[in-house]
Amino acid sequence: MISLFDLFKIGIGPSSSHTVGPMRAARRFIAHLNPTFPVARLRVTLYGSLAWTASGHATDKAVILGLAGEAPESVNPDAADDIVHQIGIDRRLFVHGHPVAFDPTCDIVLDRETIPPIHPNTLQFEALASDGTVLDTARFCSVGGGFIVPEDATKQASYAQPDMPLDFTSGTELLDRTCQSGLTVAGVVLANESALRPQTEIAAYLDLIIETMMACVERGLVQHGTLPGRIKVRRRAAALHERLMERARLNQRPPHEAMDWVSLFAIAVNEENAAGSRVVTAPTNGAAGVIPAVLRYYRDFCPDASRAGMHDFLLTAAAVGGLFKLNASISGAEVGCQGEVGVASSMAAAGLAAALGATPLQIENAAEIGMEHHLGMTCDPVAGLVQIPCIERNAFGAVKAINAASLAMHGDGAHHVSLDQVIRTMAETGRDMNHRYKETALGGLAVNFPEC
């Protein structure tokens, strides 16, 4: 089982695999670098998808911040650009208290030719002596959702936690555990998490995730201006919010009003993500708006909503997200956007169904529906930015999640396609997908949209 503490991470935008992961990798390299080495210079090489979208996904910025000792969960988003700018001016940073040469313009190498042997999101760090001798090197794979794995350990990497009383590695096993224990899906996850840490700590972390998500929505609702990047995408959430509030004041409430608000919540979060603000990977940054939007829908539009229901939502969503991470992928560079927005929609559908009192079978059905109708979705960010089509795509993923939960709860849980089968199908579809449609900005909208 993958812990919810690993699946839901607090970081900064715009990408979990291209920003959060590389920042963590850079910080880990520096932390493990032998302080007695006479390091004179650092060099970083980005491969594959990281190289193709380095600027648009802020991978270069993330690497610099990580080398400077910053962590995604604690870095001040408002100060990050100043830190990066100053290092660019000084052409150096400090390693274990000593100045080391580092010029981002030449010491961050974008290798778009070499095909990484293990994962398309691979990066290499080198510590060099004054004569150019390599003193130390490390290679990491950023495998989605902010997870990083040393390249030489990727195939052996395990996400299993010790001493899980109700461990599960498939949807079928998860349902079996609910039957055996008499617990809900959320109860099974809570029992497993409780084997790792006190329940008070779990509840506190769930509350932190909820508050971080809701704060991100609130920030996004009031921000105006243009998002970073050369295509100059204007923020829309604040204007949309003002129009919806005005419509409410005039008592103009169309039947689809709730869906307008859900779309707004998702757009608000993903505009914040695109701006490099603080978000929760859920399960990735590119899909960070889906779960907060559906969770906010539950809080604001469902009559019996409660904090306990929000906890059940996230615990259940974590169970589903963990299954996708364990048995397929949540990396857009590996399987396309079906692994990001598709997985987020599946997680949100299951979470909402759980919060509304669905049975385990109905929850599993909701998760399956949520992914089934995202199968084959490509990742083709225009200009390599997490903006078009990513921001609107989160809105649609949130709406689909609500629809999936509703459809599942209108049934008795019986259905033909299982969650395990759709996870396997997603993995196979991702393997078959052309690399141009997997976060390289080399296909789809990324090449058919005329940049002005």
Side-chain angles (χ1 to χ4, degrees):
M1 192 196 83
I2 299 176
S3 172
L4 70 90
F5 283 71
D6 293 323
L7 201 64
F8 293 120
K9 300 185 185 73
I10 297 173
I12 61 171
S15 172
S16 50
S17 59
H18 289 58
T19 309
V20 176
M23 192 187 307
R24 295 178 70 206
R27 190 170 188 264
R28 182 184 295 185
F29 175 69
I30 292 298
H32 291 176
L33 189 59
N34 191 324
T36 66
F37 285 171
V39 179
R41 178 182 164 211
L42 296 176
R43 181 169 61 206
V44 183
T45 304
L46 306 179
Y47 299 97
S49 175
L50 296 178
W52 283 108
T53 62
S55 178
H57 280 48
T59 308
D60 46 3
K61 172 183 172 181
V63 164
I64 297 169
L65 289 171
L67 293 175
E70 299 288 348
E73 63 273 14
S74 59
V75 64
N76 181 353
D78 296 329
D81 286 337
D82 290 338
I83 295 171
V84 172
H85 179 67
Q86 191 60 50
I87 290 173
I89 292 175
D90 296 341
R91 298 181 183 179
R92 68 175 183 179
L93 41 76
F94 287 85
V95 177
H96 300 309
H98 301 289
V100 174
F102 183 76
D103 183 352
T105 60
C106 59
D107 289 327
I108 297 180
V109 180
L110 307 182
D111 185 344
R112 295 168 176 164
E113 302 299 324
T114 303
I115 299 176
I118 303 297
H119 193 279
N121 287 341
T122 298
L123 61 168
Q124 175 177 282
F125 299 91
E126 295 172 291
L128 309 174
S130 56
D131 62 359
T133 302
V134 177
L135 301 171
D136 196 7
T137 185
R139 289 167 65 94
F140 294 91
C141 297
S142 182
V143 296
F147 288 85
I148 56 169
V149 184
E151 186 183 56
D152 57 4
T154 303
K155 291 183 177 180
Q156 290 77 40
S158 171
Y159 302 106
Q161 303 287 349
D163 301 323
M164 289 293 183
L166 297 170
D167 195 20
F168 59 90
T169 58
S170 69
T172 298
E173 287 183 355
L174 175 57
L175 292 175
D176 287 344
R177 299 297 178 265
T178 63
C179 290
Q180 294 163 3
S181 65
L183 296 171
T184 62
V185 172
V188 168
V189 176
L190 182 59
N192 287 335
E193 294 287 349
S194 299
L196 303 174
R197 51 185 61 86
Q199 287 199 13
T200 52
E201 185 178 339
I202 298 167
Y205 191 71
L206 289 169
D207 285 336
L208 175 62
I209 293 302
I210 291 168
E211 297 309 319
T212 304
M213 287 180 171
M214 296 304 108
C216 188
V217 172
E218 294 298 334
R219 285 196 312 273
L221 293 180
V222 297
Q223 299 296 323
H224 294 270
T226 302
L227 294 172
R230 63 180 185 267
I231 56 177
K232 305 299 181 185
V233 172
R234 291 188 59 80
R235 286 179 180 259
R236 291 184 292 167
L240 284 171
H241 184 224
E242 291 164 5
R243 283 197 289 272
L244 290 181
M245 293 296 291
E246 177 63 20
R247 193 168 70 183
R249 283 192 290 271
L250 296 174
N251 201 28
Q252 297 174 351
R253 298 184 177 277
H256 60 271
E257 179 185 39
M259 295 302 98
D260 288 342
W261 281 99
V262 171
S263 295
L264 170 61
F265 298 149
I267 289 171
V269 171
N270 279 85
E271 287 182 348
E272 282 295 285
N273 177 63
S277 297
R278 192 169 306 288
V279 299
V280 177
T281 60
T284 69
N285 283 31
V290 176
I291 288 177
V294 179
L295 192 64
R296 182 70 169 247
Y297 165 80
Y298 168 72
R299 193 196 78 175
D300 292 358
F301 289 90
C302 297
D304 297 323
S306 66
R307 180 53 64 114
M310 297 175 83
H311 283 196
D312 285 347
F313 185 119
L314 292 178
L315 288 165
T316 304
V320 172
L323 291 177
F324 277 100
K325 174 65 180 169
L326 189 63
N327 298 307
S329 175
I330 56 172
S331 169
E334 196 169 19
V335 294
C337 198
Q338 59 175 354
E340 298 203 29
V341 169
V343 172
S345 186
S346 180
M347 293 168 65
L352 179 61
L356 295 176
T359 67
L361 283 171
Q362 290 172 323
I363 290 168
E364 188 260 359
N365 189 17
E368 182 275 323
I369 294 171
M371 171 50 72
E372 185 176 338
H373 302 290
H374 283 92
L375 288 173
M377 181 176 284
T378 60
C379 183
D380 50 354
V382 172
L385 299 164
V386 192
Q387 297 176 18
I388 301 174
C390 319
I391 294 172
E392 283 186 357
R393 188 168 284 175
N394 275 257
F396 280 83
V399 171
K400 282 186 179 182
I402 296 170
N403 195 24
S406 179
L407 285 172
M409 293 186 70
H410 278 299
D412 60 4
H415 53 288
H416 290 284
V417 179
S418 71
L419 176 59
D420 291 332
Q421 289 168 333
V422 83
I423 291 174
R424 185 164 59 250
T425 301
M426 189 269 272
E428 292 171 353
T429 304
R431 284 195 296 270
D432 292 340
M433 191 180 293
N434 189 288
H435 77 281
R436 292 182 298 141
Y437 302 105
K438 293 194 281 191
E439 212 167 2
T440 58
L442 296 174
L445 283 177
V447 297
N448 288 310
F449 174 82
E451 294 182 42
C452 300

